[in-house]
Amino acid sequence: MDVRTLCLGVLTLGEASGYEIKKKLENDYSHFYDASFGSIYPALNRLQSEGLVTCTHEAQARRPDKKVYSVTPEGRLELIRELSEPPGPDRIRSEFMVTLIFADLLPPSYLAQILDERIAYYRGCLDEFENRASEHGSPAQSFVSGFGQAIYSAALQYIEDNRHLVEGESLLSQVERDRSRNDTADITVRG
Amino acid sequence: MDVRTLCLGVLTLGEASGYEIKKKLENDYSHFYDASFGSIYPALNRLQSEGLVTCTHEAQARRPDKKVYSVTPEGRLELIRELSEPPGPDRIRSEFMVTLIFADLLPPSYLAQILDERIAYYRGCLDEFENRASEHGSPAQSFVSGFGQAIYSAALQYIEDNRHLVEGESLLSQVERDRSRNDTADITVRG
DNA sequence: TTATCCATGTAAGAAGTTACATGATTGA
DNA sequence: TCAATCATGTAACTTCTTACATGGATAA
């Protein structure tokens, strides 16, 4: 699976320009894959030279032509062929988790900070998932989006429940800190 | 975060050879990062030339010398400096999830197969986590391992509960199939 | 006897990112 | 006025993987 296949896939969901493909990946699928312009534009040119997509130029005032790509029948076949290869294992690189392996070397205040930031990040992702919940075209897309939600939700819960293991605090002081942090919100202590 | 930093980190947990670093990454941390020999060995040589690790040669009969690396005080400082950079976002590439986005294009039997395989994979990972549960050196390492467990557990549960969305089966036929699949095991239908 | 483990290393190649070039429009 | 959005593209660079070279020991 490379950027070429990814573009071919996005285009089967509807015609789009390179720019729009990038946005779609950022907004909808960035949790499972991403790509930069520097790889998308060459991929589209290659797909076109292979006859897997066609391109129509939309002239625009004082701006480069918008090149809108559509998948050809051969392109659709090629995508199916690619997707019929058994998917490789998920590849994850988490600097965050690697950092925590070495938590003993780092100051507790710094650890608290990156844990807080990560929690905020997951919360933001979950909010976005909920905002987009209505946009899903197919059940399959609901499945994929729901998977992301389930994972982030589990990650959030786990970090909240277990951060004391890296911060080296007693459970008691943990609860105390939660109390002061949430003093304007509901106070819930999870079991 | 690159392989160089990763090696430096693993070596702060105890001296090791390149080969042993690779094994340790495979066994303990492969869910968050991995690296091949082709990147580990050059990284170790670079760390040595930078004075961040030292190396002792253990002669071995009819086999290349085993080169055992240890972190120097400067190496430890350098690691702390690296880890003090705020960790970048997690990068995930999941061919599996990308494939499912386009489930509509693929035969249900194939989808069932890759879903089954993924479930088996998660089960295997969870078993391994449990087998290694006793080996954790520090609470921080328990945290990291537990995080992996929490994620795989959530992923497994989600796929089992929602696979009908991609397989296009009715919930009833789903339950029927589970029944026949588990006919020698406990039958539990999750709500 | 066949595969896997042990043990290090290099070179070629794949795949991607970053930075740059160009430049008007629109909203804060 | 400052940043972001729209819009495509190239070139240099980084980083890692794969395949190869070498080869005995050991377990199935």
Side-chain angles (χ1 to χ4, degrees):
Chain A
M1 174 95 55
D2 52 12
V3 175
R4 175 177 154 277
T5 308
L6 193 63
C7 289
L8 196 53
V10 172
L11 290 175
T12 65
L13 304 176
E15 58 171 34
S17 66
Y19 189 88
E20 288 162 349
I21 289 174
K22 174 75 158 65
K23 291 299 143 193
K24 185 141 189 130
L25 290 175
E26 272 176 8
N27 295 330
D28 298 6
Y29 305 119
S30 65
H31 307 289
F32 307 114
Y33 228 98
D34 57 0
S36 62
F37 287 125
S39 57
I40 289 173
Y41 287 123
L44 288 171
N45 288 325
R46 195 181 144 195
L47 286 170
Q48 191 178 9
S49 77
E50 293 173 315
L52 304 176
V53 302
T54 56
C55 176
T56 59
H57 293 249
E58 285 180 16
Q60 305 206 126
R62 275 150 301 179
R63 196 172 285 186
D65 281 10
K66 186 172 175 178
K67 298 170 71 175
V68 177
Y69 295 90
S70 308
V71 180
T72 64
E74 306 90 70
R76 184 172 288 257
L77 279 177
E78 169 64 12
L79 178 63
I80 291 171
R81 217 174 295 135
E82 303 264 8
L83 296 179
S84 299
E85 295 291 312
D90 293 353
R91 301 186 161 274
I92 303 169
R93 340 212 89 174
S94 175
E95 294 192 5
F96 174 67
M97 279 295 146
V98 172
T99 300
L100 293 187
I101 293 170
F102 310 110
D104 296 344
L105 299 169
L106 300 169
S109 62
Y110 174 66
L111 293 167
Q113 184 200 324
I114 65 175
L115 287 162
D116 285 343
E117 283 167 1
R118 186 61 46 142
I119 285 171
Y121 171 75
Y122 287 141
R123 289 233 172 86
C125 289
L126 287 169
D127 285 347
E128 262 185 48
F129 276 120
E130 281 190 16
N131 290 339
R132 294 179 191 280
S134 54
E135 296 174 22
H136 304 312
S138 68
Q141 276 166 62
S142 296
F143 177 90
V144 173
S145 168
F147 185 84
Q149 243 177 105
I151 297 302
Y152 284 128
S153 192
L156 180 60
Q157 188 73 54
Y158 180 84
I159 293 178
E160 286 181 335
D161 291 347
N162 296 282
R163 56 185 296 172
H164 61 93
L165 288 172
V166 272
E167 290 179 302
E169 291 179 285
S170 69
L171 269 170
L172 183 61
S173 65
Q174 182 74 15
V175 171
E176 290 299 330
R177 212 228 1 253
D178 279 349
R179 196 181 301 266
S180 66
R181 191 181 279 151
N182 300 328
D183 57 0
T184 60
D186 288 346
I187 296 173
T188 53
V189 179
R190 292 189 187 78
Chain B
M1 173 97 54
D2 52 13
V3 176
R4 174 177 154 277
T5 307
L6 194 63
C7 288
L8 195 54
V10 172
L11 290 175
T12 64
L13 304 176
E15 58 171 34
S17 65
Y19 189 87
E20 288 162 348
I21 289 173
K22 175 78 157 69
K23 291 300 143 196
K24 184 139 191 135
L25 290 176
E26 272 176 10
N27 295 330
D28 298 6
Y29 305 120
S30 64
H31 307 288
F32 308 113
Y33 229 97
D34 56 358
S36 64
F37 287 126
S39 58
I40 290 173
Y41 287 123
L44 288 170
N45 288 326
R46 194 179 145 197
L47 286 169
Q48 191 179 9
S49 76
E50 293 172 316
L52 304 177
V53 303
T54 57
C55 176
T56 60
H57 293 249
E58 285 178 16
Q60 305 205 129
R62 275 148 300 178
R63 195 172 287 188
D65 282 9
K66 185 171 174 176
K67 297 170 73 174
V68 177
Y69 294 90
S70 309
V71 180
T72 64
E74 306 90 69
R76 183 171 288 257
L77 278 178
E78 169 65 12
L79 178 63
I80 291 171
R81 218 173 295 135
E82 303 263 8
L83 296 180
S84 299
E85 295 290 312
D90 294 353
R91 302 191 159 270
I92 303 170
R93 339 212 90 174
S94 175
E95 294 192 6
F96 174 67
M97 278 296 145
V98 173
T99 300
L100 293 187
I101 293 170
F102 309 110
D104 295 344
L105 298 170
L106 300 169
S109 62
Y110 174 66
L111 293 168
Q113 184 200 323
I114 66 175
L115 286 161
D116 286 342
E117 283 168 3
R118 185 61 46 139
I119 285 171
Y121 171 75
Y122 287 142
R123 289 233 173 86
C125 289
L126 287 169
D127 285 347
E128 262 186 44
F129 275 121
E130 281 189 17
N131 291 339
R132 293 178 190 283
S134 54
E135 296 174 21
H136 303 311
S138 67
Q141 276 166 63
S142 296
F143 177 91
V144 173
S145 168
F147 185 84
Q149 239 177 110
I151 297 303
Y152 284 127
S153 191
L156 181 58
Q157 188 73 52
Y158 179 84
I159 293 178
E160 286 181 335
D161 291 347
N162 296 282
R163 57 185 295 172
H164 61 91
L165 288 172
V166 271
E167 291 179 302
E169 290 179 288
S170 70
L171 268 169
L172 183 62
S173 65
Q174 182 74 17
V175 170
E176 290 300 326
R177 210 222 12 247
D178 278 350
R179 195 181 302 266
S180 67
R181 189 182 277 151
N182 299 328
D183 57 0
T184 59
D186 289 347
I187 297 174
T188 52
V189 180
R190 292 189 186 80

